[in-house]
Amino acid sequence: MSGHMNLTLKVWRQKNSQTPGKFVTYKAEEISPDMSFLEMLDVVNEKLVKTQEDPIQFDHDCREGICGMCSLMINGEPHGPKRATTTCQLHMRSFKDGETIVIEPWRAAAFPVVKDLAVDRSAFDRIQQAGGYVSVGTGGVPDANEILIPKTIADEAFNSATCIGCGACVAACKNASAMLFVSAKVSQYAMLPQGQTERYERAKAMVNQMDDEGFGSCTNTYACEAQCPKEIKVTNIARMNREYFNAEFIKG
């Protein structure tokens, strides 16, 4: 078909985290350049189902760049070649006709493979549960405008809150560090009045949980920022380090 693409896919297939995996080659034929990357995988899976083969398992949900589920390493880059783009928002026009595309899951001990390209990222959930809450009064609800927040602070907190927890920062880091993710979650609460009650306890609890989950240390290569689809800044890591230092050595 005119204008369509024929591609070769080298896809990581693995039954579970206890069994070894391997790359398997598939043909993706007559792919529209306007398809998203996940739609292309849907087409491949439809053909596999018709031939009674096991379809490729991958995570997906909203397909609108919001949920953070589409965790794929594409040609060695988290979410593929486009910056500030999730896998579900990546279109096939980013590739060339006849190209070979290598597709892998996130590679991190804290993200064990569930099957094929899907990994268990519940470690992120446990980190957030360790400190991602705020205490509130049970009396009358104050008017929102009574709590004045400078725009620069509100904007910075909002930028941190845009983290979707996809894990690209972990996949990009040679030590599989989760510092960018954790720092974004710490920052979005630490800068707002509502988050002050648990401010220092939160930083300490979340960092300790991150270490318990087995994530590596920050390597200061900025790979996490470069590969983050929401462009979370490494300045959050500096803020989290200050919060943790205050919790550990000053606030006690």
Side-chain angles (χ1 to χ4, degrees), residues 30-49:
E30 298 184 351
I31 300 299
S32 168
D34 295 325
M35 283 183 179
S36 74
F37 199 87
L38 297 188
E39 288 174 330
M40 180 273 295
L41 288 178
D42 288 337
V43 170
V44 174
N45 274 343
E46 287 176 4
K47 292 182 178 179
L48 290 177
V49 170

Side-chain angles (χ1 to χ4, degrees), residues 92-187:
M92 297 312 298
R93 54 180 171 268
S94 301
F95 303 92
K96 297 178 181 179
D97 182 33
E99 187 172 347
T100 296
I101 304 175
V102 180
I103 312 170
E104 304 171 72
W106 289 166
R107 303 290 192 181
F111 289 159
V113 171
V114 176
K115 185 177 181 181
D116 298 335
L117 305 174
V119 299
D120 181 358
R121 287 172 293 171
S122 59
F124 272 9
D125 296 330
R126 291 188 290 273
I127 291 171
Q128 293 186 90
Q129 289 163 5
Y133 57 88
V134 297
S135 294
V136 295
T138 57
V141 179
D143 185 88
N145 292 328
E146 289 183 5
I147 305 176
L148 299 179
I149 304 173
K151 186 177 186 303
T152 54
I153 298 298
D155 288 346
E156 187 70 15
F158 178 81
N159 290 338
S160 300
T162 59
C163 170
I164 57 177
C166 66
C169 52
V170 175
C173 179
K174 60 184 179 182
N175 280 358
S177 172
M179 293 280 277
L180 191 67
F181 164 77
V182 178
S183 65
K185 299 307 177 184
V186 168
S187 293

Side-chain angles (χ1 to χ4, degrees), residues 2 16 20 24 28-29 35 44 57 60 68 75 79-80 89 100 123 128 139 176 180 204 211 219 226 230 243 246:
S2 177
N16 53 52
V24 178
E29 299 176 324
M35 283 183 179
V44 174
Q57 183 74 31
H60 64 97
N75 285 346
H79 294 297
Q89 300 275 282
T100 296
Q128 293 186 90
L180 191 67
K204 189 174 181 179
D211 291 340
T219 57
K230 297 302 176 181
E243 295 290 313
N246 286 334

Side-chain angles (χ1 to χ4, degrees), residues 58-76:
F58 60 93
D59 284 329
H60 64 97
D61 192 1
C62 74
R63 300 201 178 197
E64 294 179 348
I66 298 171
C67 71
M69 290 292 288
C70 53
S71 50
L72 296 182
M73 185 73 77
I74 303 168
N75 285 346

